[in-house]
Amino acid sequence: MSKRIPLGIVVALLLAAVLCSSFISINYVVNKNNQLLVDLPARADQYSDLAEIEEIVRREYFGEIDSDVVDRSLAEGFLSGLGDSFCYYIAAEDFDAYTNLVSGKVSGIGISVYYEKETDNLVISNIEHGSPADNAGFEINNQIISVNGKNVSFENYEELIAEISDSYDTKLKLVYAKSAEDKKDQHSEAEVKSGYSQLSCFKSVENGIGYIRIVNFFDTTVGEFVEIMNNFIQDGISDIIIDLRNSSGTNLDVAAEMIDFIVPVGNEGTGAIFTARNSEGAIVKQASSDADSLSCNIALLTNRGTECAAELLACDLRDFGKAVIVGEKTSGHGSLQELFRLEDGSAITLTVAEIIPYTSVSFNGVGIEPDLLVEVADGFYNNLNSIALSDDPQFQAAATFLKAK
């Protein structure tokens, strides 16, 4: 497919966008472009250069040109040119998957499988805790024999793995064996619906200390967090370690609700849990707390993978005097991103404001320093999921601090 956009049309479209835009997404892009390119002639020159490049390419390029790919690359290149890794383009065909990802919705049934030639089956190698497969009673090393009436074979196993892993809101009828040695009359059958909400909070109790690991900030995270915290309090556990290492969620509203659960009404500064201000200093988002608060001793674990919502949680709990921070400096992602949907179904995310926490200065670009610095060897965080808390120097330092209070 090949499309050619004449220079006259490009300039006309640009003038129409500058003078007549009414949609917020277009307004925002035009305003930002006006800041980068001061006057209309300069903007026209920019698009004139682009039109000239297009003319040369279409006249001289040897290969075929896919205009859809070129258009996508132009959008990606424009956002990449901002030099902000949190600004990016989302193709229309990827939009639903993106929104599912950021909201914690996961396709599949929560298992990893591989094809075993000797048995001609799919073998389960991993099961996600709280997933449909976990709730249905599947176990590691179970052998899947058929999917929706189709027996697994060398010819179709890739197709069936995709059906198990990529489907959403679909009923899957699985015939499976507990082990390769099971006979046919020992096979089991289960009907499992694909698609589920990913758990974001995981808990344990270590030597009388409550431990919560928060891996992301989804809409469901608040409920998970509050339930775990209330259970700890009901069980008489008042020393709690909240692990925010490698937690990279960006949902500030969720973080604000979690902060509000712990802290009282803010009476310093603006009183807001956080304030987001745009480049002109105007407030674009703000959150406050109520009078209820929680009485417990909290230590927060952070590292360079602690980002955005997790950083706000850590900073605010310390600002309110509710927690100490143990570990390493955080990443410094202290900006607010907004999603703008485009007419063709694609979308862009743009940084629209800087986050100001309760009483601290913005941590954007600088990160948050811990109260107790505990450095670990390179590669430690790559294996964080498999390291026992008894072998975790940052957890142990936080536990020692809490016990000494």
Side-chain angles (χ1 to χ4, degrees):
M1 182 172 61
S2 178
K3 297 183 290 185
R4 181 172 179 173
I5 305 174
L7 172 59
I9 294 177
V10 171
V11 175
L13 288 173
L14 176 62
L15 289 168
V18 173
L19 298 173
C20 305
S21 291
S22 60
F23 293 100
I24 186 170
S25 59
I26 297 177
N27 275 333
Y28 185 89
V29 173
V30 170
N31 288 338
K32 284 296 180 184
N33 202 38
N34 286 346
Q35 293 172 15
L36 295 172
L37 300 168
V38 178
D39 58 318
L40 185 59
R43 293 196 297 278
D45 286 344
Q46 182 189 52
Y47 286 94
S48 175
D49 290 344
L50 185 60
E52 186 177 2
I53 291 171
E54 182 198 18
E55 182 180 357
I56 294 171
V57 169
R58 294 195 183 280
R59 185 180 69 242
E60 303 292 344
Y61 181 59
F62 175 77
E64 293 184 2
I65 299 173
D66 186 328
S67 292
D68 289 338
V69 174
V70 172
D71 291 344
R72 175 172 178 165
S73 297
L74 284 171
E76 291 172 344
F78 186 96
L79 294 169
S80 177
L82 298 176
D84 184 337
S85 61
F86 303 114
C87 299
Y88 47 87
Y89 172 81
I90 304 160
E93 63 269 22
D94 298 329
F95 184 79
D96 287 343
Y98 171 82
T99 54
N100 284 340
L101 177 66
V102 297
S103 62
K105 295 178 181 178
V106 184
S107 60
I109 61 173
I111 59 174
S112 299
V113 298
Y114 64 91
Y115 175 71
E116 188 175 71
K117 188 175 181 180
E118 291 74 18
T119 61
D120 218 21
N121 294 332
L122 298 177
V123 182
I124 298 177
S125 59
N126 184 63
I127 301 175
E128 186 80 20
H129 179 67
S131 66
D134 185 33
N135 295 334
F138 283 93
E139 299 175 352
I140 291 176
N141 293 325
N142 282 175
Q143 306 242 338
I144 297 175
I145 298 162
S146 70
V147 180
N148 289 339
K150 293 176 281 190
N151 288 334
V152 178
S153 67
F154 178 76
E155 288 73 23
N156 72 359
Y157 79 89
E158 291 180 334
E159 171 193 338
L160 296 183
I161 289 176
E163 193 169 341
I164 292 171
S165 304
D166 299 338
S167 63
Y168 193 88
D169 198 25
T170 303
K171 289 183 178 180
L172 299 175
K173 187 177 181 181
L174 305 177
V175 175
Y176 67 99
K178 293 290 184 181
S179 69
E181 289 73 32
D182 283 0
K183 296 180 180 179
K184 190 172 183 178
D185 59 0
Q186 296 176 298
H187 292 172
S188 301
E189 187 176 296
E191 189 174 89
V192 186
K193 188 175 182 180
S194 64
Y196 61 102
S197 293
Q198 186 178 2
L199 290 176
S200 54
C201 297
F202 301 88
K203 68 171 183 176
S204 64
V205 178
E206 305 288 332
N207 297 321
I209 296 176
Y211 171 78
I212 308 175
R213 185 176 179 200
I214 302 173
V215 297
N216 215 314
F217 288 75
F218 305 131
D219 291 339
T220 54
T221 304
V222 177
E224 293 177 42
F225 178 74
V226 169
E227 182 180 3
I228 292 172
M229 291 291 286
N230 281 334
N231 287 340
F232 283 159
I233 300 302
Q234 290 167 9
D235 292 340
I237 298 172
S238 58
D239 291 340
I240 298 172
I241 294 175
I242 301 175
D243 192 346
L244 300 173
R245 295 173 297 181
N246 294 352
S247 181
S248 57
T250 59
N251 194 325
L252 298 175
D253 294 328
V254 169
E257 287 190 59
M258 295 164 70
I259 294 164
D260 181 31
F261 175 70
I262 296 174
V263 307
V265 172
N267 55 19
E268 296 185 49
T270 64
I273 289 175
F274 79 88
T275 302
R277 294 184 181 273
N278 65 16
S279 58
E280 297 176 351
I283 296 175
V284 297
K285 180 172 285 215
Q286 201 168 46
S288 58
S289 55
D290 59 27
D292 296 332
S293 64
L294 207 61
S295 179
C296 55
N297 303 315
I298 298 175
L300 304 159
L301 302 183
T302 64
N303 69 350
R304 56 185 175 271
T306 304
E307 292 189 15
C308 200
E311 289 181 277
L312 178 63
L313 178 65
C315 190
D316 268 12
L317 292 187
R318 181 167 69 178
D319 281 354
F320 274 92
K322 288 290 187 177
V324 295
I325 300 175
V326 179
E328 296 182 344
K329 184 178 178 180
T330 64
S331 71
H333 178 185
S335 57
L336 172 67
Q337 280 68 48
E338 189 169 342
L339 182 69
F340 296 90
R341 196 77 188 268
L342 306 182
E343 289 184 0
D344 66 353
S346 61
I348 59 174
T349 66
L350 288 176
T351 299
V352 298
E354 184 175 62
I355 302 164
I356 311 297
Y358 175 51
T359 57
S360 293
V361 297
S362 172
F363 51 82
N364 191 32
V366 295
I368 301 168
E369 296 285 354
D371 300 295
L372 178 59
L373 176 64
V374 181
E375 296 179 308
V376 293
D378 290 342
F380 175 84
Y381 298 121
N382 296 333
N383 303 309
L384 195 57
N385 292 337
S386 60
I387 294 174
L389 294 177
S390 57
D391 298 326
D392 184 336
Q394 293 173 334
F395 174 87
Q396 291 302 319
T400 300
F401 178 87
L402 290 177
K403 290 297 185 182
K405 290 191 71 174

